[in-house]
Every structure is written in C-alpha cells, then in structure tokens.
Amino acid sequence: MWIKKADLLQVAVRPAQYPPEGPPEIAFAGRSNVGKSSLLNLLTNRKHLARVSGSPGKTQTINFYAVNDDEFRIVDLPGYGYAKVSRSITEKWGEMVDAYLIDRGSLKAVCLLVDIRHEPTGMDAELFGFLAHHGLVGPIIATKSDKVSRGAYAKQASLIRKTLGAAADTPVIPVSALKRTGVEELLNAIEPWIYAGSEGKN
Ligand SMILES: Nc1nc2c(ncn2[C@@H]2O[C@H](COP(=O)(O)OP(=O)(O)O)[C@@H](O)[C@H]2O)c(=O)[nH]1
Ligand SMILES: [Mg+2]
C-alpha cells in the first residue's frame, strides 16, 4: 500500500459536519506536540497538509483526509493534554472525540501516537483503554525515533505497551518524521485494518 495522493475532505467539530460514511477510516490521536502533524505530512508526502504547530493545543477540529481519491481516509483527531488549555477545552475535546469514536461505522482503528522516549501519560492510557473497550486499537506509533538508538526500540516498545495496558502482539511502530523513517512499516501495519471487513477490528 502506498499513499499517492491525499486531500483535505472536511474539517468538523460535530457529527453533522462529518463527511458521509463510506471508505474505511484510520484515525490518529495523541497528545499535543507528540509529532502528529509532522507524521501526517510525511505519510501523505505533503509539506503542509497538517499544520506543524508552533502553538500546541490550538487545533481543536477533526480533519478528514481522502487518500488516493477516497480509497480510504485518514482522520486527524485533535491533540490533547496541553498543559495550558482550560478545563472546558479538555471537556470539549472529550465530547468531540467520543462522538466520533463511538458511533462511526467506517472507523476501523485508531493509531495512538506516543513519544518513543517517554512513558505514556495517564491521558494516553485512558484513551487507549477507551479504544480497547470499543475494539478500535490500531498500531501504536512511537514518534521521534531519531531521539533514541535503534537498540533501544524494543525496550521502549515494551515500556509503552506495559504503561498503556496493550497486548504483547499490539504493534509498536517507531517512526521519525525528521529522518523520514518508519513510514513503510507503518503503512504495512495499518493495511490489514483498511482492507479487512468489520471482523478486522480487534
Ligand atoms: N526530533 C524529532 N522532532 C520531531 C519529530 N516529529 C515532530 N518533531 C517536532 O516536535 C514538535 C511538535 O511536532 P508537531 O508535528 O507539530 O506535533 P503535534 O502537536 O502532535 O501535531 C515540533 O517542534 C516538531 O519539529 C521527529 O520525528 N523527530
Ligand atoms: Mg498538530
């Protein structure tokens, strides 16, 4: 599988604004500053598809991208956990994201992004538990892999799995937007969720 083309389809804050369901959707979630925009730009081979943010926590929309003329969709969920956002923004984040995650038939999986260097946060673990409960766990993405040596990948992956409560067979894919590594591995890991029927959820 390869991404030849990606176009912004829709920016939404509530369900009425979502594009009609159709092609399989893979969503990406993670705390602000984890490297989500950089990764989406790398995946789609575009410099500014997703804004690389100088002010984390600002983008509070759900962005739908049509990949390869809507063969499948990438859904960019708003970042969370930015220390300076107010409680009401955090609550709005939960409402906005829950509404999408709970009731979207074409959503196949959510890839949770975590920084390869650090133990996932309480909010990461909470979101992961929610995903597991709803059968939406996709590959875990360990971002900024250029910050650790290759030899440390396995150790960091098990720390990440353990902290999130992920099964031993949940893929943890190291990626670096900076060094442009891990994209092929990530696309290969996502592929089964895109091309499986609803029984592909696990
Ligand atoms: N070293 C390194 N830094 C990265 C990488 N990806 C993103 N960053 C940096 O991390 C910061 C946050 O990136 P951004 O993509 O905006 O994160 P987002 O808030 O999750 O969308 C920026 O300063 C990026 O330059 C990476 O693969 N390696
Ligand atoms: Mg961003």
Side-chain angles (χ1 to χ4, degrees):
M1 181 179 82
W2 203 244
I3 295 179
K4 295 186 280 283
K5 188 170 180 285
D7 305 287
L8 182 62
L9 193 61
Q10 189 73 43
V11 175
V13 294
R14 42 176 193 282
Q17 299 167 328
Y18 300 167
E21 293 200 43
E25 294 175 352
I26 302 291
F28 290 77
R31 63 169 182 73
S32 296
N33 222 34
V34 73
K36 184 159 55 64
S37 297
S38 303
L39 175 66
L40 291 179
N41 288 334
L42 175 64
L43 269 181
T44 56
N45 203 16
R46 306 230 329 219
K47 282 222 168 63
H48 302 290
L49 187 75
R51 196 167 50 91
V52 177
S53 121
S55 48
K58 281 254 173 83
T59 325
Q60 295 289 333
T61 56
I62 298 177
N63 301 333
F64 293 81
Y65 297 96
V67 178
N68 300 345
D69 294 313
D70 224 9
E71 181 186 353
F72 70 96
R73 293 173 184 164
I74 285 176
V75 180
D76 183 10
L77 299 175
Y80 53 84
Y82 181 55
K84 286 195 184 124
V85 303
S86 67
R87 190 176 169 80
S88 67
I89 291 179
T90 306
E91 277 166 17
K92 268 196 216 130
W93 183 91
E95 278 171 34
M96 194 194 309
V97 172
D98 286 2
Y100 172 70
L101 295 179
I102 289 170
D103 202 25
R104 187 75 174 169
S106 47
L107 175 61
K108 299 302 176 188
V110 180
C111 298
L112 181 65
L113 282 74
V114 295
D115 190 313
I116 198 164
R117 292 169 292 177
H118 308 304
E119 190 170 324
T121 67
M123 280 186 81
D124 293 329
E126 200 179 309
L127 176 57
F128 191 85
F130 182 92
L131 298 176
H133 180 76
H134 291 279
L136 290 170
V137 171
I140 296 165
I141 302 174
T143 64
K144 310 190 187 182
S145 63
D146 53 278
K147 296 277 196 181
V148 301
S149 71
R150 231 160 236 282
Y153 284 5
K155 183 167 156 268
Q156 292 311 103
S158 29
L159 172 70
I160 289 164
R161 279 195 201 90
K162 185 169 158 238
T163 312
L164 294 177
D169 62 353
T170 304
V172 177
I173 316 288
V175 298
S176 167
L178 189 75
K179 301 277 186 213
R180 309 175 74 88
T181 56
V183 173
E184 201 176 338
E185 291 82 354
L186 176 58
L187 289 172
N188 287 341
I190 290 170
E191 196 168 5
W193 274 276
I194 294 176
Y195 296 112
S198 55
E199 76 281 4
K201 287 190 175 187
N202 70 6

